[in-house]
Amino acid sequence: MEEGAETIVKEVKTLKTLVNEFSGFARMPAANPSAADLHQIIDSAVGIYQGAYQDVSFERQYAADLPSTLLDKEQMKRVFVNLIDNALEAMGQRGEIVIGTKYRAHLQMMRVELSDNGPGIPPEDKEKLFLPYFSTKKRGTGLGLAIVNRIISDHHGYIRVEDNKPRGTRFIIELPAA
């Protein structure tokens, strides 16, 4: 009886998470950009995890010339939290996450690369990653990367995924500089 009750409680929590993700995706708030330092946003997201995972190292490789720009700070933090969550799960909470920034002045674009040294993503899944409801996780909603894609798109940017050589996954985000 007790085991059955625990299972029910666990499944209700899973369903609640699923419903929250679905409703959050359906009514995402419009971006509210203001002057922002992208490095501070990334640091805020990394700060949630740093120290909590003893077998994961976080390395930041920041460009010194990255300009301040107009971003919705909370939405962009969510982007990095979702990407870090996925990296941690893929690596089995062991490994290295590297986040680097570059400023491409001639294009007026900022570039963020977040890479891990996990097992990587199969080629057949890469083109579906940002589609709503596509997930490779048993308990995934398939909305995390769809939300990330939408936020980046709302900021007039682009996101793509590629292999991280020699091992793992690399997400590349390009955003216009204000």
Side-chain angles (χ1 to χ4, degrees), residues 31-52:
N32 186 16
S34 61
D37 179 331
L38 187 57
H39 292 154
Q40 287 179 351
I41 295 169
I42 295 169
D43 287 343
S44 175
V46 171
I48 295 170
Y49 302 95
Q50 205 156 25

Side-chain angles (χ1 to χ4, degrees), residues 47-65:
I48 295 170
Y49 302 95
Q50 205 156 25
Y53 295 90
Q54 294 177 352
D55 296 327
V56 176
S57 68
F58 291 90
E59 182 181 337
R60 289 169 242 186
Q61 301 172 349
Y62 290 166
D65 62 345

Side-chain angles (χ1 to χ4, degrees), residues 137-152:
K137 301 175 190 173
K138 281 185 179 179
R139 294 191 175 268
T141 62
L143 291 175
L145 289 176
I147 289 169
V148 164
N149 187 41
R150 185 156 170 193
I151 291 170
I152 297 299

Side-chain angles (χ1 to χ4, degrees), residues 71-149:
L71 298 170
D72 184 309
K73 295 172 190 163
E74 287 304 311
Q75 285 188 2
M76 290 306 296
K77 181 178 177 181
R78 185 171 185 179
V79 164
F80 296 110
V81 165
N82 282 359
L83 292 175
I84 292 169
D85 274 346
N86 286 349
L88 288 169
E89 186 167 332
M91 297 185 316
Q93 301 178 356
R94 310 180 74 98
E96 180 181 49
I97 296 174
V98 178
I99 304 172
T101 60
K102 295 177 185 171
Y103 178 51
R104 302 170 81 190
H106 64 290
L107 297 174
Q108 292 292 296
M109 295 293 283
M110 299 181 304
R111 180 179 174 123
V112 181
E113 294 185 12
L114 188 144
S115 59
D116 66 58
N117 61 352
I121 299 170
E124 63 272 12
D125 290 346
K126 284 182 187 157
E127 59 192 58
K128 298 182 267 183
L129 273 184
F130 301 107
L131 296 175
Y133 314 115
F134 174 77
S135 180
T136 59
K137 301 175 190 173
K138 281 185 179 179
R139 294 191 175 268
T141 62
L143 291 175
L145 289 176
I147 289 169
V148 164
N149 187 41

